[in-house]
């Protein structure tokens, strides 16, 4: 009898262990996350402990240096979909990150029809399966349903109102999550703080736990903007970063002008200090810096905090200082400006073909490291994306080079629209840079 009992106990233990390790997470392992208001201030609480959000946006295919995020002092990241969710949650568990888990939804901007009942039902079924599968993972912070579903344009480029059925569909998803998952709040994200967009959405989504807005130049005044909406719910900034290409000046041939890495990093830091750290509303839960990787959107350097080769920029240094209290031991090169033919990018630089011109980048290194320089000339983007959709990086152009250091002298190519990039490296994994759009014409 004793032997039989031992065998049954051992069998139960083995079966129980297999259940634990077959890829399913037990419900009691889930972290209990709530958003609470204490003494007029909303905060995340994870398993009853206050959680101060120090987050970034990670789109896995654009880059996912989780070790670097850990070293920088970050404690959370958001995603836009679940294609690589297993790897992301595995890394989150390893480093102790909480994840605002994004579920990709169809957007009218990209052709999804919310009048199509069959398509809407199929999408809801997909959402349900994702929630069931991952709701008990201990590193889930909240659910992010879709991204900027309010973003839609008229032919003239002005904003267009989306079909209200978009929010009816999201409302059904929120109700399902609230019933299925008792541990995690739900949000959806909005492009900008646009009062009538938020009003239409919240009439159909009054049960939404958190409002999430995505602002760039407007981060510094997000407290005022949200106050003006009259919304009483807590809110997050699910994307913030450099000034967006729609917020920057353009050349007279309609090409967006990007900030060089030094002033860009300064701007992000200043806006964080005003819109996040200095936010006195008590409603702001914090935000996610965009983006922890590298992507092409108007240029290959506009938004990413890394270069293609994995080099880290000054923006990461600033985040590290904010999150840990100290800069990293090795800091990125500081790039203050770039000029072409003695002019800045806002001066509409037009050059003649097959002529000699010089571009110069002005940079220094905080640590006294020897700097090296790489120059690239590329064509301009052919088809400009909208709403973060994939954009094809334009081809580089071979030119005759006469001088190649912090000053770059070259012979111009044939007529067309181009952009010259300066990349500055310290040889220790850090980089800075800038670019200038220019027109070659007779």
């Amino acid at each position: 009898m004793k032997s039989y009992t031992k065998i049954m106990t051992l069998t139960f233990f083995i079966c129980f262990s297999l259940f634990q390790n077959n890829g399913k997470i037990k419900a009691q392992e889930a972290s209990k996350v709530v958003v609470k208001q204490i003494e007029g201030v909303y905060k995340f609480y994870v398993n009853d402990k206050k959680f101060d959000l120090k987050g970034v946006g990670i789109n896995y295919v654009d880059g996912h240096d989780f070790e670097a995020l850990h070293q920088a002092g970050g404690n959370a990241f958001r995603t836009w979909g679940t294609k690589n969710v297993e790897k992301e949650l595995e890394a989150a568990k390893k480093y102790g990150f909480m994840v605002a888990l994004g579920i990709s939804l169809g957007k009218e901007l990209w052709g999804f029809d919310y009048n199509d009942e069959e398509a809407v039902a199929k999408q809801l079924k997909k959402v349900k399966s994702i929630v069931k599968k991952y709701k008990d993972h201990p590193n889930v912070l909240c659910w992010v349903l879709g991204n900027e579903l309010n973003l839609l344009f008229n032919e003239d480029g002005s904003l267009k109102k989306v079909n209200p059925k978009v929010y009816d569909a999201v409302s059904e998803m929120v109700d399902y999550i609230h019933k299925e998952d008792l541990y995690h709040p739900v949000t959806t994200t909005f492009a900008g703080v646009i009062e009538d967009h938020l009003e239409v959405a919240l009439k159909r989504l009054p049960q939404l736990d958190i409002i999430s807005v995505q602002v760039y130049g407007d981060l510094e005044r997000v407290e005022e903007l949200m106050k003006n909406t009259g919304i009483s719910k807590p809110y997050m900034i699910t994307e913030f970063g450099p000034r967006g290409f729609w917020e920057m000046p353009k050349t007279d041939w309609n090409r967006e002008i990007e900030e060089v890495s030094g002033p860009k990093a300064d701007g992000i830091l200043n806006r964080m200090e005003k819109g996040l750290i200095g936010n006195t509303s008590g409603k702001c839960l914090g935000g996610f810096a965009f983006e922890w990787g590298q992507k092409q959107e108007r240029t290959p350097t506009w938004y990413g905090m890394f270069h293609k080769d994995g080099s880290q920029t000054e923006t990461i240094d600033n985040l590290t200082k904010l999150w840990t209290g100290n800069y990293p031991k090795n800091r990125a090169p500081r790039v203050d400006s770039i000029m072409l033919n003695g002019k800045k990018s806002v001066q509409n630089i037009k050059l003649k073909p097959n002529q000699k011109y010089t571009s110069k980048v002005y940079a220094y290194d905080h640590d006294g490291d020897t700097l090296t320089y790489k120059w690239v000339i590329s064509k301009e983007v052919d088809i400009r994306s909208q709403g973060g959709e994939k954009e094809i990086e334009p081809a580089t152009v071979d030119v005759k080079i006469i001088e190649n250091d912090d000053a770059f002298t070259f012979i111009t190519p044939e007529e067309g629209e181009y952009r010259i990039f300066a990349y500055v490296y310290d040889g220790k994994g850090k980089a800075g840079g800038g670019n200038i759009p220019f027109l070659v014409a007779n």
Side-chain angles (χ1 to χ4, degrees), residues 194-259:
I194 305 170
E195 287 189 49
D196 57 340
H197 287 202
L198 291 167
E199 183 180 359
V200 169
L202 290 181
K203 279 183 179 178
R204 289 165 169 79
L205 284 167
Q207 75 278 42
L208 200 66
D209 299 303
I210 304 165
I211 307 299
S212 291
V213 295
Q214 310 200 146
V215 289
Y216 289 80
D218 277 343
L219 177 62
E220 64 181 331
R221 59 192 193 103
V222 72
E223 180 178 352
E224 174 193 356
L225 292 171
M226 289 300 295
K227 182 180 179 180
N228 291 341
T229 67
I231 295 171
S232 59
K233 291 178 180 286
Y235 60 89
M236 281 194 299
I237 317 300
T238 35
E239 284 183 24
F240 68 87
R243 291 170 65 189
F245 54 77
W246 62 93
E247 298 171 313
M248 291 296 290
K250 296 181 180 180
T251 65
D252 60 14
W253 58 94
N254 199 36
R255 290 296 178 180
E256 299 91 346
I257 295 170
E258 180 183 352
E259 296 170 292

Side-chain angles (χ1 to χ4, degrees), residues 19-166:
F19 175 74
Q20 280 187 306
N21 294 288
N22 69 352
K24 295 179 181 178
I25 307 297
K26 297 184 302 175
Q28 60 264 35
E29 289 187 3
S31 294
K32 186 176 181 181
V33 182
V34 295
V35 175
K36 291 193 292 188
Q37 186 185 37
I38 296 179
E39 295 181 352
V41 178
Y42 281 100
K43 287 284 185 183
F44 279 110
Y45 288 82
V46 179
N47 297 326
D48 295 322
K49 293 182 180 179
K50 186 169 70 171
F51 183 77
D52 290 317
L53 185 59
K54 302 172 184 177
V56 299
I58 292 182
N59 184 23
Y60 197 86
V61 296
D62 294 339
H64 46 269
D65 193 334
F66 297 109
E67 172 66 26
L69 180 58
H70 177 67
Q71 290 177 352
N75 62 10
F77 62 89
R78 69 155 293 196
T79 65
W80 285 262
T82 54
K83 188 174 182 180
N84 296 286
V85 65
E86 301 285 351
K87 297 173 184 175
E88 290 162 341
L89 289 175
E90 182 182 351
K93 199 166 188 178
K94 177 180 178 180
Y95 292 106
F97 301 136
M98 297 302 291
V99 182
L101 207 157
I103 301 179
S104 178
L105 300 181
K107 297 170 72 167
E108 288 191 297
L109 178 67
W110 297 345
F112 192 92
D113 183 5
Y114 278 86
N115 290 316
D116 185 336
E117 294 181 2
E118 185 177 340
V120 170
K122 185 178 179 181
Q123 180 171 251
L124 176 60
K125 184 178 179 181
K126 181 194 80 169
V127 170
K128 287 181 176 181
S129 68
I130 291 170
V131 172
K132 281 185 177 180
K133 188 171 184 179
Y134 299 110
K135 67 185 178 68
D136 294 323
H137 194 284
N139 295 84
V140 173
L141 179 70
C142 64
W143 300 101
V144 184
L145 292 171
N147 188 65
E148 298 186 338
L149 300 176
N150 66 314
L151 198 61
L152 191 62
F153 299 99
N154 293 304
E155 289 185 7
D156 63 359
S158 59
L159 284 174
K160 181 180 181 179
K161 293 182 179 179
V162 302
N163 183 347
K165 288 184 178 180
V166 171

Side-chain angles (χ1 to χ4, degrees), residues 353-365:
N354 200 34
Q355 298 292 316
K356 182 174 72 172
Y357 294 96
T358 297
S359 183
K360 185 171 175 60
V361 62
Y362 296 87
Y364 66 92
D365 191 86

Side-chain angles (χ1 to χ4, degrees), residues 419-430:
R419 200 173 285 252
I420 186 167
F421 292 82
Y423 296 96
V424 183
Y425 300 98
D426 71 350
K428 297 179 180 178
K430 296 295 184 75

Side-chain angles (χ1 to χ4, degrees), residues 178-199:
H178 282 164
K179 182 179 179 181
E180 179 71 20
D181 179 6
L182 304 178
Y183 292 160
H184 303 103
V186 190
T187 188
T188 187
T189 77
F190 297 87
V193 182
I194 305 170
E195 287 189 49
D196 57 340
H197 287 202
L198 291 167
E199 183 180 359

